[in-house]
Amino acid sequence: MCAKNFFYIILEVMRINSLNFNNFSAYKSEVNFGTTNRTLYEKRGGKRFIDKKYKMSAAPYGKDYYLSGKRVIYSNATCFLRGDLCGKSNTWENFTNIILKCFPKDEKINVYDFGCSDGSEAYSIAFSLIEKEGDGAKRFFPIKAIDRDPEIIKDIQNGTYAKEIDLKKIDAATKNNKDKYFIISKSGREFLLKPKEILRRNIRFRTGDFVQELNNITGKNNLIFCRNFWRYLSEDEIRRALEKLSKLDPSTRIVLGSFDLCTDCETGRQYPPKFFEEYGFVKDGTNFILKKSDIEKPIDYKLAKRYISNYLEPSMY
């Protein structure tokens, strides 16, 4: 191992040791969407670098383990108001405006948050809509927040951990009114946020598998958050998910994350992966929201399979 890589590993271990792990569910024998926070991966031939103090196990990245090219990096970190929805110059408020334009005012919207992890994204969706719509936000509720890991769903009942920067973001999004939504207490270097009734009654947390759960989605006006875990799926899981998503009503909107979109990490270029286009999806207002194209064309399954394989190929990095 070169000295530079070793230096980055030491820095990451120091950072991890400073975090509160009470609300962290580690990976076990299979991939659990949304619960990969703070797990390290190393480039060398799929070898894993893991902080054994917390007995974490790593999840496969495509056919191999997550690569970084020249540096050790950790997986996507869930947080409140995660800033990867509309680009660096946009905010969750702008994103909420785009969502509201997607659906008529008088319609009921079915909202799904897959890979909900510690609940911070579902809470962010809920209070952003309430701040924007007031009582009108009830047409988006209840939000169905789903994760494959039963332990992290259980942990959510004890509250969600946040950093000071998260509290500042929540204050900015709620006009300095975070206490309207959370009971907040200090916990080590972090804060423990317990949702108040205004959030609890509007979100339903439960366990479930992303691909299987898509079978239960029917009707019109579905808003599906499936962010930042597509690279953890197998080729077969991606194909089956796309098949099911492509058959949903055209009013459906799919919300992705930056980790799903970025296919060139050196330049930061972002666009929906090509296999979404092959299954008939196009951008709607932003790279992060997809809808069915008005122009129907036959799916080229051979080409789609190649796009998926290329997307999962670690050598891209």
Side-chain angles (χ1 to χ4, degrees), residues 89-286:
S89 63
N90 291 285
T91 65
W92 267 68
E93 182 179 7
N94 293 342
F95 171 76
T96 306
N97 288 334
I98 295 173
I99 289 297
L100 294 176
K101 290 179 181 178
C102 291
F103 300 100
K105 280 278 186 181
D106 58 345
E107 295 286 349
K108 172 71 175 73
I109 316 302
N110 305 302
V111 183
Y112 300 84
D113 181 27
F114 288 105
C116 66
S117 189
D118 64 3
S120 53
E121 180 166 272
Y123 294 137
S124 298
I125 297 168
F127 67 65
S128 294
L129 288 168
I130 293 171
E131 287 295 310
K132 195 69 180 178
E133 287 275 271
D135 289 340
K138 64 183 179 182
R139 65 196 178 102
F140 289 90
F141 300 144
I143 295 171
K144 301 174 184 67
I146 303 167
D147 197 282
R148 183 182 281 181
D149 188 342
E151 290 189 18
I152 202 164
I153 294 297
K154 182 179 178 180
D155 287 342
I156 290 173
Q157 310 307 315
N158 300 321
T160 299
Y161 286 90
K163 299 178 182 178
E164 186 171 356
I165 185 63
D166 295 318
L167 299 187
K168 292 179 179 179
K169 290 191 296 182
I170 295 172
D171 254 343
T174 62
K175 301 178 178 63
N176 295 315
N177 201 14
K178 60 181 178 292
D179 293 331
K180 173 182 177 181
Y181 299 98
F182 298 100
I183 298 172
I184 303 172
S185 58
K186 196 79 165 66
S187 179
R189 297 188 180 185
E190 296 185 315
F191 296 86
L192 180 63
L193 277 60
K194 294 188 175 182
K196 291 186 175 180
E197 178 63 18
I198 190 173
L199 292 180
R200 290 200 307 271
R201 67 170 178 258
N202 290 320
I203 303 174
R204 303 286 185 269
F205 290 103
R206 63 179 175 85
T207 58
D209 176 84
F210 170 56
V211 180
Q212 294 179 4
E213 289 288 338
L214 292 176
N215 292 322
N216 302 324
I217 300 178
T218 59
K220 297 182 178 181
N221 298 326
N222 298 303
L223 176 58
I224 302 173
F225 289 77
C226 46
R227 296 171 11 88
N228 298 312
F229 60 68
W230 285 86
R231 292 184 187 275
Y232 298 132
L233 300 179
S234 67
E235 185 174 310
D236 179 65
E237 286 175 317
I238 291 178
R239 179 187 57 77
R240 289 191 290 123
L242 290 169
E243 284 281 355
K244 295 174 182 180
L245 288 169
S246 67
K247 295 176 182 177
L248 295 178
D249 188 83
S251 60
T252 296
R253 294 296 184 273
I254 300 170
V255 185
L256 303 178
S258 60
F259 186 64
D260 305 315
L261 305 186
C262 187
T263 56
D264 186 346
C265 287
E266 292 300 318
T267 64
R269 293 173 58 195
Q270 294 182 336
Y271 41 84
K274 295 289 289 183
F275 55 77
F276 277 102
E277 296 179 15
E278 200 55 43
Y279 275 83
F281 293 99
V282 295
K283 295 183 291 186
D284 187 18
T286 168

Side-chain angles (χ1 to χ4, degrees), residues 14-76:
M14 292 173 63
R15 187 185 68 82
I16 284 177
N17 284 333
S18 71
L19 297 174
N20 188 317
F21 277 79
N22 292 335
N23 200 35
F24 175 76
S25 292
Y27 272 70
K28 297 177 179 58
S29 61
E30 60 179 349
V31 180
N32 297 289
F33 309 137
T35 58
T36 59
N37 310 5
R38 309 160 187 169
T39 303
L40 295 177
Y41 300 82
E42 188 178 22
K43 180 180 178 182
R44 300 289 190 272
K47 181 180 177 183
R48 297 174 287 184
F49 179 85
I50 304 166
D51 184 359
K52 296 181 179 179
K53 178 179 178 182
Y54 297 103
K55 299 180 181 179
M56 296 186 226
S57 57
Y61 167 80
K63 301 173 184 177
D64 205 333
Y65 292 102
Y66 193 30
L67 307 182
S68 64
K70 297 181 181 179
R71 61 194 184 282
V72 173
I73 60 180
Y74 54 97
S75 66
N76 57 297

